[in-house]
């Protein structure tokens, strides 16, 4: 029991510090949020002729290195997720279903984990991934997510890339099964 009290004191001190930091942030001059400060959940079309940055390197759970360029010629959905993200865990079975249904027709899903590598490894068997799960340090994965257009850092976050490397759209938040089917069927390579 005595070892629990110091832990509770540390947790309480962290919560007080967090609350103070939030208060300072919100009460600073000019802190009134404007429309650009809030994360926009939903789909956002990419700019005209926006392309996937070349040479983006990743590593799979087994350590095998690959590049997003390896999947040129396929409709690519890069879906950022984390083990602690409930909407991500809700969306993954739908993504698994889409990969099974459309993989042979030119779809490739990749799932970078914004998570500790060991946490992603432990979670992967239960999530039954049938597509590559990319791992790295959380900082590296967050950097990749920012390069692909998610400056808010929200999850789940997906980027849809055409077979020719053009970025088609970004989605902050879950895709529904119906949204994915329509998106995939419209953009599969012909």
């Amino acid at each position: 029991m005595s070892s629990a009290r110091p832990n509770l004191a540390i947790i309480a001190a962290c919560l007080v510090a967090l609350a103070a930091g939030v208060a300072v942030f919100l009460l600073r001059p000019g802190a009134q949020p404007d429309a650009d400060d809030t994360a926009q959940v939903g789909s956002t079309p990419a700019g005209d002729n926006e392309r996937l940055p070349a040479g983006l390197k990743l590593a799979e759970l087994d350590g095998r290195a690959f590049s997003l360029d390896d999947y040129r010629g396929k409709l690519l959905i890069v879906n950022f997720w984390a083990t602690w993200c409930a909407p991500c865990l809700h969306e993954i079975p739908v993504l698994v279903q889409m990969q099974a249904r459309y993989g042979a027709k030119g779809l490739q899903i990749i799932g970078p984990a914004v998570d500790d590598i060991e946490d992603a490894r432990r979670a992967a068997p239960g999530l039954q991934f049938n597509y590559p799960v990319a791992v790295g340090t959380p900082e590296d994965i967050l950097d990749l997510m920012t390069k692909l257009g998610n400056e808010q850092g929200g999850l789940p976050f997906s980027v849809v890339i055409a077979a020719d490397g053009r970025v088609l759209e970004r989605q902050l938040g879950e895709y529904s099964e119906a949204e994915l089917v329509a998106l995939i069927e419209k953009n599969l390579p012909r």
Side-chain angles (χ1 to χ4, degrees):
M1 179 87 154
S2 63
S3 67
R5 281 203 172 122
N7 288 342
L8 289 175
I10 291 170
I11 291 169
C14 289
L15 289 174
V16 168
L18 176 63
V22 169
V24 167
F25 177 76
L26 292 175
L27 296 175
R28 76 190 192 288
Q32 297 303 322
D34 44 349
D36 294 339
D37 289 344
T38 58
Q40 298 297 317
V41 175
S43 185
T44 306
D48 291 339
N49 297 316
E50 184 179 346
R51 311 229 21 112
L52 176 68
L56 296 177
K57 303 277 185 201
L58 299 164
E60 284 195 53
L61 285 170
D62 63 6
R64 184 182 68 85
F66 69 98
S67 169
L68 292 181
D69 296 333
D70 297 343
Y71 297 100
R72 187 130 341 211
K74 294 182 177 257
L75 175 63
L76 183 62
I77 299 176
V78 181
N79 174 259
F80 292 85
W81 67 283
T83 59
W84 44 264
C85 169
C88 300
L89 299 177
H90 185 258
E91 183 181 42
I92 287 170
V94 176
L95 294 167
V96 167
Q97 185 181 35
M98 295 300 108
Q99 183 64 48
R101 184 172 172 184
Y102 294 105
K105 297 177 182 177
L107 172 68
Q108 181 60 62
I109 299 173
I110 296 175
V114 184
D115 220 322
D116 176 76
I117 295 171
E118 290 308 314
D119 289 343
R121 279 192 182 118
R122 278 190 294 276
L127 294 170
Q128 300 179 345
F129 289 105
N130 57 355
Y131 53 85
V133 173
V135 292
T137 67
E139 296 79 20
D140 289 343
I141 300 296
L142 285 171
D143 181 55
L144 174 63
M145 193 166 69
T146 301
K147 285 179 183 171
L148 292 178
N150 183 354
E151 295 180 10
Q152 293 106 348
L155 292 173
F157 174 69
S158 297
V159 180
V160 181
I161 303 154
D164 64 2
R166 285 178 301 111
V167 176
L168 298 173
E169 74 174 42
R170 293 173 177 81
Q171 169 87 3
L172 183 57
E174 290 179 68
Y175 275 114
S176 71
E177 182 177 350
E179 289 171 325
L180 276 172
V181 167
L183 176 70
I184 292 166
E185 288 186 356
K186 176 182 176 187
N187 293 294
L188 277 174
R190 305 281 176 228

